Amino acid sequence: CQSDFVRGAAFGEKPGKLPAMLRTGRGAPAGLAIYQGTAFPDFFRGLLIYPDVYRKLVRAYEVERQGSTFRVTREFVLMESSDDLFRPCQALIGPDGAIYIVDWRTPSGGAGRVWGDNQHGRIYRLTWSGIEGTPAIEPGQLSDWKTLTAGRDALLWKALQTTDDFEERRRAQMELVRRSQGNPEGFLAVVLDSQQQPEARAMAMGGAAQLYQASVKSALMAILSDEHPQLRRLACETLSRNVPANDVDRNLLVAMMPRLEDEDPAVRRAAALALGELAETYPAGDPIRVEVGSAIAEALKAEDRSDAYLFDGLLRGLERLDDDGLRHLAEWVTSDKPALQDRAAYCLRSLRTQAGADLLDQLLDQNSLDQLSAELQSHVISTYRDILVDPPVQASAITRWIAR
């Protein structure tokens, strides 16, 4: 790999780049896992497990929600070894709930030689043997998933609705989808039952999405106003990924637009991205596409940049609509409000598509950038070098602007 000192921003310090959740320093993370089982104490749930080949250890990170993303609240070494060949390269959660660490066991430092000798690799099995105040937990059996998926439908539905083990719930979902014969009604009954655990409803939503039909779309639209923000977020994402282009209608887009003002920032971000993707299926200039672009632009105008992931999600939703979305940035450039002009310049500096390059051409040809300070003009013009498309942008409008 080669560093890009012009476009690179390892810490998200440039417009259009996002900050990392945590600066971990030099290393070679690989095969990450999230623990959501029941064979460890509750404080293990949600841990990010991070095998690092280069540093020869396995770290774990506790995270919590922060705005539209997460932040690390604590980190610790989960596993290390005195074996100089220890190279942990993957973490997996087994059917028994144990954590399995794959050890490459090689003299490589993570670069150059990318394999072991096919003889000395190891798999470590981690279980909870207990500490003072937190007793040992007996793990399950390696046959647990096989037993579950061979069981009757009633056993599978019970697992999907009541287990606290994510992997067990997911395998119940997969088997129920296989047995469904294309009928999503069982999943939809769980999705729409507000008495069910949110985790069960989320997994059922994923099952229903694999059996997409009109009733699934209707149920997901109903969940857009559910009391649980994570279900609202998931409904936005599931609709954007599963509704075919010929089934994207005005009712769907109108139902989703209020989520741009949702109290939860993660929902707002998901809604902006979903609306951009869904409205993009309409031809340029179509009234509903223009309406969606205006709604996202208003949400973008109202957000400050304190939540970088939310702000970026709104901008990317707008960017998906090409001129029907980006024309709002052109209007902001010519505003008589310095704060709005500054926002426009930041957004322009963050664009990464051909439509963004076309907008820059337009602003230069119309002398609209003359409304900005010299500093902002230079920032906006530098965007051309960050738009990597094929064929490359010509940026000939710069020459014409300079000539004038």
Side-chain angles (χ1 to χ4, degrees):
C1 57
Q2 189 174 19
S3 299
D4 186 338
F5 295 105
V6 174
R7 301 174 187 85
F11 306 127
E13 67 272 19
K14 294 182 179 179
K17 304 288 185 177
L18 291 175
M21 186 166 62
L22 182 71
R23 302 177 186 181
T24 59
R26 188 176 185 183
L32 278 67
I34 302 175
Y35 191 80
Q36 299 184 81
T38 56
F40 285 81
D42 286 344
F43 63 78
F44 263 73
R45 289 190 69 85
L47 279 183
L48 304 184
I49 301 172
Y50 173 116
D52 192 326
V53 174
Y54 186 83
R55 290 191 284 187
K56 310 173 190 177
L57 51 75
V58 180
R59 299 189 68 80
Y61 298 90
E62 291 182 4
V63 301
E64 67 178 16
R65 288 204 164 273
Q66 182 179 52
S68 64
T69 183
F70 298 86
R71 72 181 184 94
V72 172
T73 58
R74 188 167 78 97
E75 59 181 289
F76 59 91
V77 175
L78 180 65
M79 181 179 179
E80 57 187 344
S81 173
S82 59
D83 180 358
D84 191 52
L85 299 181
F86 180 57
R87 300 292 189 279
C89 61
Q90 187 169 12
L92 298 164
I93 313 305
D96 54 354
I99 299 170
Y100 289 83
I101 303 297
V102 180
D103 178 9
W104 176 11
R105 202 161 189 272
T106 171
S108 171
R113 182 180 176 187
V114 292
W115 58 86
D117 60 8
N118 293 321
Q119 297 181 31
H120 299 98
R122 295 173 176 172
I123 297 177
Y124 295 89
R125 178 175 181 260
L126 309 185
T127 59
W128 184 256
S129 58
I131 59 174
E132 184 177 352
T134 308
I137 299 175
E138 186 69 24
Q141 302 296 317
L142 286 174
S143 59
D144 283 354
W145 291 348
K146 184 177 181 180
T147 301
L148 173 66
T149 55
R152 295 180 179 274
D153 285 5
L155 177 65
L156 293 167
W157 284 113
K158 180 179 179 181
L160 185 141
Q161 295 174 51
T162 64
T163 183
D164 290 327
D165 187 303
F166 173 85
E167 295 293 344
E168 182 178 323
R169 179 175 268 142
R170 187 164 71 94
R171 277 157 180 77
Q173 180 225 65
M174 294 164 62
E175 180 62 18
L176 287 166
V177 168
R178 192 186 70 80
R179 298 183 188 185
S180 68
Q181 298 182 330
N183 185 351
E185 296 309 313
F187 287 113
L188 294 181
V190 178
V191 170
L192 296 172
D193 185 354
S194 61
Q195 300 304 308
Q196 295 280 355
Q197 299 176 22
E199 295 82 1
R201 297 173 69 194
M203 189 64 73
M205 198 183 302
Q210 297 175 60
L211 306 168
Y212 182 83
Q213 54 184 252
S215 59
V216 175
K217 176 184 173 184
S218 297
L220 292 174
M221 288 172 63
I223 299 301
L224 289 172
S225 55
D226 194 86
E227 64 175 314
H228 295 286
Q230 292 312 312
L231 292 180
R232 299 196 299 272
R233 175 189 59 79
L234 191 58
C236 290
E237 294 175 354
T238 305
L239 284 163
S240 71
R241 293 169 183 168
N242 292 277
V243 178
N246 62 4
D247 200 19
V248 177
D249 55 27
R250 178 180 175 80
N251 289 338
L252 169 59
L253 297 172
V254 169
M256 192 177 291
M257 278 192 278
R259 299 282 64 84
L260 291 170
E261 300 177 0
D262 198 278
E263 63 183 7
D264 188 280
V267 178
R268 298 201 296 275
R269 181 178 187 273
L273 291 169
L275 283 165
E277 185 168 355
L278 293 167
E280 183 188 27
T281 61
Y282 280 77
D286 187 280
I288 186 59
R289 178 170 164 142
V290 171
E291 184 179 348
V292 169
S294 296
I296 298 176
E298 285 302 309
L300 182 63
K301 186 190 294 186
E303 289 290 345
D304 59 30
R305 299 203 297 267
S306 59
D307 187 332
Y309 285 83
L310 172 56
F311 193 88
D312 184 79
L314 291 165
L315 179 59
R316 299 308 162 200
L318 198 70
E319 193 174 35
R320 293 295 295 263
L321 301 176
D322 296 339
D323 185 62
D324 291 323
L326 298 182
R327 64 182 181 83
H328 294 279
L329 304 185
E331 295 171 2
W332 298 354
V333 167
T334 58
S335 167
D336 58 359
K337 299 178 180 178
L340 192 55
Q341 288 185 323
D342 181 73
R343 175 161 303 220
Y346 185 89
C347 291
L348 290 168
R349 185 70 183 84
S350 303
L351 299 179
R352 296 293 182 268
T353 64
Q354 181 61 55
D358 293 342
L359 176 60
L360 294 175
D361 288 347
Q362 172 191 322
L363 293 173
L364 287 168
D365 284 337
Q366 296 177 356
N367 293 326
S368 298
L369 287 189
D370 294 354
Q371 306 293 320
L372 303 179
S373 67
E375 181 181 11
L376 289 182
Q377 287 181 34
S378 66
H379 289 169
V380 170
I381 291 173
S382 69
T383 305
Y384 279 111
R385 68 185 180 189
D386 293 330
I387 298 178
L388 304 179
V389 293
D390 188 19
V393 296
Q394 297 300 310
S396 55
I398 296 177
T399 305
R400 295 192 294 271
W401 181 69
I402 292 174
R404 287 196 300 275

